[in-house]
Amino acid sequence: MTYTTSEMMTVAAARRLKNGSVCFVGIGLPSKAANLARLTSSPDVVLIYESGPIGAKPDVLPLSIGDGELAETADTVVSTSEIFRYWLQGGRVDVGFLGAAQVDRFGNINTTVVGDYHNPKVRLPGAGGAPEIAGSAKEVLIILKQSSRAFVNKLDFMTSVGHGEGGDSRKRLGLPGAGPVGIITDLCIMEPEAGTHEFVVTTLHPGVTREQVIAATGWELRFAENVVVSEEPSEYELSALRDLEARTAAAHGQAPGEA
Amino acid sequence: MAEILSLHDAVKQFVNDGDTVALEGFTHLIPTAAGHEIIRQKKKDLTLVRMTPDLIYDQLIGSGCAKKLIFSWGGNPGVGSLHRLRDAVEKQWPQPLEIEEHSHADLANAYVAGASGLPFAVLRAYAGSDLPKVNPLIKSVTCPFTGEVLAAVPAVRPDVTVIHAQKADRKGNVLLWGILGVQKEAALSAKRCIVTVEEIVDDLKAPMNACVLPTWALSAVCVVPGGAHPSYAHGYYERDNRFYQAWDAIGRDREAFTAWIDEYIHGTRDFSEFQSKLARASEAK
């Protein structure tokens, strides 16, 4: 089966979510990948959304973080304050699954502004739940499309900390979680190098060259000693993803590609 | 005891120029009708608080009702930017807007502190983030028992909170269910609280442990069917995703926005007239 680079990204991200893990899900790409995991390799993954649903099993992808579908399919729905206080800060989240507008070589995230904070070129939506998800989840996965505008040498604003300045930054900051363990893009997978915690390419998606990835990265990108190639999406994964997108598009009155 | 009032009278009586106002709702039960009424009555110099400002805050900001916004995520969910918010922050139109920015965990805790009668909230947050550099109200406190350094943020205590709920009984007791966000905390942290509801019934038939706000904790209850549109009211109507998409084009352009506010808000007497006008316009398309 032929597939798109976006589909490869979503499938690769879904594969990283272990069955039975408790995952705090951001809206958009993280939500799509987490639900694909639930529908394929990890049926017992527990999805928590910041609006309050715990154990959500949506049949169609939510457009907003608080769609009724999430509440109706959840094991329980609690208040947003309880989500952040008991479930996240209480240490019950295994994986925080985040998107980003900008990310740097240490997996730090900007979702606040492009340009100067007080005189921004682009005002982005802001922090949302990300700073504390990035701090308190036992580990973090980041999913976004790769481009030199998004993968920057220096963030315009540090909204949510990944590995800070690298090395033992997180330990010095007293952050409880291990921080980002993978950045999954439409070109590759990056993982933090032992010791420095700088993200290096460990996996290339099929057909992607090193030059392509370098061109789409704003810092001097390094590659792991042994770079492997992702397994292509299986027919099973692709049809689960496409069915999910088609159901979502039909439910929200969109064209199939929009979901 | 909550008075059962028209929305017009409730906003007139309980929302003053210069107030700190929280119209809460986490993508569900967003008090749109109340936001429109605040614009219609041309309230000004408001400090708006909300974790997730969306279309109604875009409308309030673009209409010049707000001098300050306290928030943690401002966007058009599933669509993109709030263009009126961006225009106010990036180009000071129609007037400068001061922003005080937090994270969700922070504001959620700050509402809990407000409802609990505490001056500040404590949470494990912000280590390594730039947000404390641009928001001097984010401070730290050292745990007297373990020595751990934690974030300390001021409690949120609005002059008025406005929320939308599914139903009230004739005494003004309110029942809400589904995604609750921080509505209960926002209601109980405020000096005054207005609740708009889909309907008033004889008996709430609330299950034990349901989210019920007792009438004696509220200021006013107003019946406004459909008052959360274009968001949804669980059990009553679905989210109008097309309106969120349509808002992008309206909000993007100052003239289109002003014309829309003049036509649909200032050009209507109340929310029910607004709904009829909107329905006629969408049928004509």
Side-chain angles (χ1 to χ4, degrees), chain A residues 124-126, chain B residues 51-55 71 73-82 85 244:
Chain A
L124 299 166
Chain B
M51 289 180 65
T52 52
D54 71 348
L55 305 197
F71 76 111
W73 190 92
N76 181 343
V79 179
S81 289
L82 292 179
L85 167 59
Y244 282 87

Side-chain angles (χ1 to χ4, degrees), chain A residues 21-95:
Chain A
S21 60
V22 176
C23 179
F24 198 124
V25 192
I27 201 68
L29 291 175
S31 173
K32 188 190 280 191
N35 278 289
L36 179 63
R38 185 177 59 77
L39 294 167
T40 53
S41 55
S42 304
D44 294 324
V45 69
V46 178
L47 304 187
I48 296 184
Y49 288 76
E50 65 194 15
S51 57
I54 295 176
K57 295 165 276 292
D59 187 47
V60 301
L61 294 172
L63 265 190
S64 82
I65 194 91
D67 275 15
E69 173 81 6
L70 298 174
E72 274 166 13
T73 61
D75 297 328
T76 182
V77 183
V78 303
S79 69
T80 296
S81 52
E82 186 179 318
I83 287 282
F84 283 105
R85 289 157 64 89
Y86 298 172
W87 301 91
L88 178 62
Q89 191 174 262
R92 293 179 184 277
V93 171
D94 297 320
V95 185

Side-chain angles (χ1 to χ4, degrees), chain A residues 144-164:
Chain A
L144 79 160
K145 286 200 175 186
Q146 195 153 356
S147 75
S148 54
R149 275 177 62 194
F151 286 68
V152 297
N153 193 39
K154 189 172 181 346
L155 295 180
D156 288 320
F157 192 91
M158 170 98 79
T159 313
S160 306
V161 74
H163 293 287

Side-chain angles (χ1 to χ4, degrees), chain B residues 23-237:
Chain B
L23 296 105
E24 269 297 347
F26 211 101
T27 76
H28 176 216
L29 297 174
I30 290 163
T32 306
H36 286 180
E37 190 55 34
I38 290 171
I39 296 170
R40 225 176 253 120
Q41 295 190 21
K42 298 187 175 163
K43 302 289 181 187
K44 56 181 197 290
D45 297 328
L46 302 177
T47 293
L48 297 174
V49 192
R50 170 125 170 241
M51 289 180 65
T52 52
D54 71 348
L55 305 197
I56 189 60
Y57 274 41
D58 214 29
Q59 292 165 10
L60 284 156
I61 290 163
S63 301
C65 298
K67 66 169 182 197
K68 181 175 176 181
L69 175 67
I70 300 172
F71 76 111
S72 43
W73 190 92
N76 181 343
V79 179
S81 289
L82 292 179
H83 298 288
R84 293 300 95 224
L85 167 59
R86 278 185 57 178
D87 204 13
V89 173
E90 294 167 16
K91 305 212 169 72
Q92 294 79 49
W93 191 92
Q95 60 193 43
L97 180 74
E98 187 190 341
I99 58 170
E100 179 190 316
E101 191 161 0
H102 301 259
S103 70
H104 277 352
D106 164 349
L107 272 189
N109 276 277
Y111 274 120
V112 172
S116 309
L118 289 171
F120 71 97
V122 176
L123 67 157
R124 189 175 290 113
Y126 291 124
S129 170
D130 283 342
L131 277 164
K133 295 181 190 161
V134 297
N135 182 351
L137 293 172
I138 300 169
K139 296 186 185 295
S140 63
V141 66
T142 304
C143 170
F145 305 103
T146 64
E148 184 178 359
V149 177
L150 296 155
V153 292
V156 175
R157 295 196 143 149
D159 294 304
V160 200
T161 284
V162 186
I163 59 168
H164 188 78
Q166 278 98 342
K167 43 174 106 167
D169 65 18
R170 295 189 194 286
K171 288 183 187 159
N173 297 298
V174 166
L175 171 66
L176 57 161
W177 68 86
I179 303 266
L180 295 177
V182 289
Q183 274 100 315
K184 182 176 184 176
E185 292 80 0
L188 298 180
S189 64
K191 293 179 192 139
R192 305 182 292 279
C193 183
I194 301 171
V195 186
T196 55
V197 294
E198 289 298 321
E199 60 175 335
I200 289 193
V201 296
D202 290 327
D203 182 352
L204 288 178
K205 298 199 173 86
M208 210 181 284
N209 307 113
C211 185
V212 171
L213 293 168
T215 179
W216 52 265
L218 306 171
S219 312
V221 169
C222 317
V223 188
V224 189
H229 175 273
S231 79
Y232 68 104
H234 214 130
Y236 289 77
Y237 46 90

